[in-house]
Amino acid sequence: MFSRLFVFFAVLLASALSFADEVRLGIYFQGTRIGDASYSMRDEMVAGRLLKRGDSRTNVNAGMLGTALQVLITSTSWSDASGKPVRMLFVTKSGGRSQTVNAVFKGDFADVDIVSGGPKQTKRLPIPKDGPIVDDPMPLVLTSGVNSRKTFYVLQPNTVSFVKDEAINRGPATVTIGTKSYSATLVEVIDPQATMKIYVSAKGDLIKAEAPLGMEIIPDSLGAPSVGAGGPMADIAAASSIKPDKPIADPRHLKRFKFELVAPGAPTIPSDGHQTAIKKGDSWNIDVHPVEIDSSNIAIQAAAKAQPLWVTADTYIPSDSAKFKALAKQIVGKETSVKGASLKVQKWVASHMKANLGIGVLRDANEILSSKEGVCRDSAILAATILRAARVPTKLASGLVSWDGTFYYHAWVEVWNGKSWVGIDPTVADRQLSASHVKLAGGNIATAFRFPVLDKVSIKVGEAVPR
């Protein structure tokens, strides 16, 4: 999740500085400097065409529950005289792994090559028709009146998808850096994951950018403070955790969990067989009631016929490869039911994967299988790949979970039992998903890992029913 914000900052915010030859920026998290970024733009001849080339580099050093996390993102984009993209190249490195996304724009499509620890994958993305794909959204609104709204799209490299955003010109504003105040124009960029505030000068240069959880970008030229530089490592996972208003007994084994989620910036919370979510102002009344793993025992063949989309391969999920088909056969054996096969895969992944919170890049299941280490998201991708290779309809899911009373961001999978989607957590051996798993998004890579970043959030416990 957090590497997505870094990419958004590096590509979207830095590109707003296209009026400058080169800009250097400081990245801050709750007052502590955790990284830096730079951006430059120049003209370049490419195959006889004069294009605008933008280069950005973002480096972040932080912590994830005590484990050092470093993410390095470099990107280069080429656009024509009208601002339409011609090519975009992203390289993300973290924890000794890398992801390369190379998108070439051709007419109504963008052909994208992806390499992330496995064989190269190619994906064709239709170009959206209801808004431009841009590097720099600022001109869209700065030349319009106050409260003008412009829709645009950005290419999200980690999930290899176009994301629809909206920029709103909020008009004159005052922003403070240290002890100095600046007159600015405030532009709000509303993304499905987060709303960001971008303060720019009369010339269109960045003064400051703010995102949820106290994340900020400030140009070094403005004398950005170095509070925390060289001090204790900022732990992003700990800082983004949510402590409920009262203790929850044995959250790992809850049958039902009712609570109020106060989350002013959350645009939507899923409501389905796993949970019921009702919005009331800035709050959500949520009743988590996980589907029982024993509620159905449908045959794999029947489930695959009913849900054909969710047995197919997808980005980072090479379930059609001979290697994963052979592994699925080895793990599942002669089991013919969704429940039996799913529990076997869950047990295998949970027993073979080791935690490594220092990997902040999305990876192909091939690399995850080879290294057998990673974060919860990696366990979910590996489990989904094996399950689909066994013809078990499987979705990815992401949201919050609590093992000890504090809620953290998490990922798991869901399988189709003939009536509904049943959650299974491949990071643990518990056969029944606990009601402490609160879902924020689901589906394939492009949607499951695009959940809202909850800011200024609290959990008010209503009822926690043990199993």
Side-chain angles (χ1 to χ4, degrees):
M1 174 192 71
F2 299 103
S3 59
R4 157 66 177 137
L5 289 180
F6 302 150
V7 172
F8 195 88
F9 272 152
V11 178
L12 180 60
L13 301 183
S15 63
L17 306 171
S18 56
F19 298 97
D21 292 331
E22 183 173 9
V23 179
R24 296 185 180 278
L25 313 160
I27 303 175
Y28 298 84
F29 179 72
Q30 299 185 359
T32 297
R33 183 163 181 147
I34 62 171
D36 54 76
S38 63
Y39 184 84
S40 62
M41 178 170 282
R42 60 186 172 88
D43 292 334
E44 182 175 85
M45 292 295 296
V46 179
R49 299 175 65 189
L50 182 62
L51 303 177
K52 286 287 186 182
R53 170 175 171 161
D55 293 278
S56 70
R57 183 182 186 277
T58 302
N59 186 48
V60 173
N61 290 278
M64 293 289 285
L65 298 180
T67 300
L69 171 67
Q70 181 180 25
V71 181
L72 174 63
I73 305 163
T74 57
S75 69
T76 304
S77 63
W78 293 264
S79 57
D80 63 19
S82 67
K84 291 184 178 180
V86 175
R87 181 186 171 200
M88 293 182 177
L89 174 64
F90 302 87
V91 179
T92 304
K93 297 181 179 181
S94 178
R97 277 78 172 181
S98 67
Q99 176 211 52
T100 300
V101 175
N102 181 34
V104 178
F105 294 77
K106 302 175 181 177
D108 294 332
F109 298 92
D111 289 329
V112 188
D113 290 335
I114 313 114
V115 178
S116 187
K120 181 176 74 173
Q121 290 184 297
T122 299
K123 190 171 185 178
R124 171 162 280 192
L125 298 176
I127 301 295
K129 302 296 185 182
D130 58 338
I133 300 168
V134 300
D135 263 354
D136 180 4
M138 296 300 109
L140 294 174
V141 292
L142 292 179
T143 56
S144 305
V146 176
N147 292 324
S148 61
R149 295 171 176 258
K150 299 292 182 179
T151 295
F152 64 98
Y153 285 82
V154 294
L155 175 61
Q156 185 181 85
N158 59 340
T159 60
V160 194
S161 59
F162 288 121
V163 179
K164 186 176 183 179
D165 288 346
E166 184 179 42
I168 306 173
N169 184 341
R170 294 300 189 188
T174 300
V175 61
T176 301
I177 300 176
T179 59
K180 189 173 181 179
S181 295
Y182 297 84
S183 296
T185 296
L186 170 60
V187 175
E188 282 188 351
V189 176
I190 301 175
D191 179 82
Q193 283 197 286
T195 295
M196 304 186 188
K197 295 182 178 180
I198 306 175
Y199 298 89
V200 296
S201 69
K203 295 181 179 180
D205 294 333
L206 177 70
I207 298 175
K208 185 181 183 181
E210 300 173 344
L213 302 174
M215 294 188 68
E216 299 175 318
I217 281 189
I218 305 171
D220 288 344
S221 61
L222 297 181
S226 58
V227 177
M233 180 174 59
D235 197 305
I236 297 176
S240 64
S241 65
I242 308 167
K243 293 185 180 295
D245 64 337
K246 55 186 178 182
I248 302 172
D250 195 13
R252 183 166 173 165
H253 302 104
L254 293 182
K255 183 176 183 179
R256 195 162 194 169
F257 181 39
K258 297 181 180 181
F259 64 101
E260 179 185 3
L261 178 71
V262 180
T268 182
I269 303 290
S271 190
D272 53 20
H274 174 76
Q275 65 190 28
T276 303
I278 301 174
K279 184 174 176 58
K280 298 185 69 174
D282 286 338
S283 300
W284 292 81
N285 289 334
I286 301 178
D287 180 357
V288 186
H289 38 72
V291 178
E292 297 289 325
I293 186 65
D294 295 323
S295 61
S296 175
N297 201 25
I298 187 174
I300 294 174
Q301 184 177 1
K305 185 177 180 180
Q307 298 287 346
L309 173 63
W310 301 105
V311 296
T312 59
D314 193 58
T315 309
Y316 308 133
I317 304 178
S319 54
D320 56 352
S321 74
K323 177 169 66 175
F324 276 101
K325 288 181 178 180
L327 178 61
K329 185 176 181 179
Q330 172 191 330
I331 296 171
V332 173
K334 296 182 179 180
E335 181 60 62
T336 60
S337 72
V338 166
K339 182 180 76 172
S342 300
L343 292 175
K344 283 188 173 183
V345 172
Q346 175 200 25
K347 182 178 179 180
W348 190 92
V349 173
S351 63
H352 283 76
M353 285 288 288
K354 295 188 298 183
N356 183 345
L357 303 184
I359 302 175
V361 61
L362 269 171
R363 299 182 287 152
D364 183 279
N366 283 284
E367 203 283 330
I368 300 170
L369 177 63
S370 176
S371 65
K372 294 184 177 61
E373 65 173 5
V375 296
C376 56
R377 175 190 62 221
D378 299 315
S379 293
I381 290 173
L382 180 58
T385 304
I386 298 171
L387 284 164
R388 290 191 188 185
R391 303 289 294 168
V392 175
T394 309
K395 291 183 179 182
L396 297 165
S398 62
L400 305 171
V401 73
S402 176
W403 307 119
D404 58 2
T406 299
F407 286 84
Y408 298 91
Y409 288 95
H410 192 55
W412 58 96
V413 299
E414 295 179 323
V415 297
W416 178 253
N417 75 351
K419 299 178 181 178
S420 55
W421 293 96
V422 184
I424 292 177
D425 192 333
T427 66
V428 295
D430 301 336
R431 68 195 306 271
Q432 176 60 52
L433 197 78
S434 171
S436 67
H437 288 70
V438 182
K439 188 161 70 171
L440 298 178
N444 269 322
I445 294 285
T447 54
F449 299 139
R450 197 191 298 166
F451 53 85
V453 178
L454 303 179
D455 193 27
K456 300 176 182 177
V457 62
S458 63
I459 289 177
K460 299 179 180 179
V461 177
E463 183 180 8
V465 180
R467 187 163 295 281

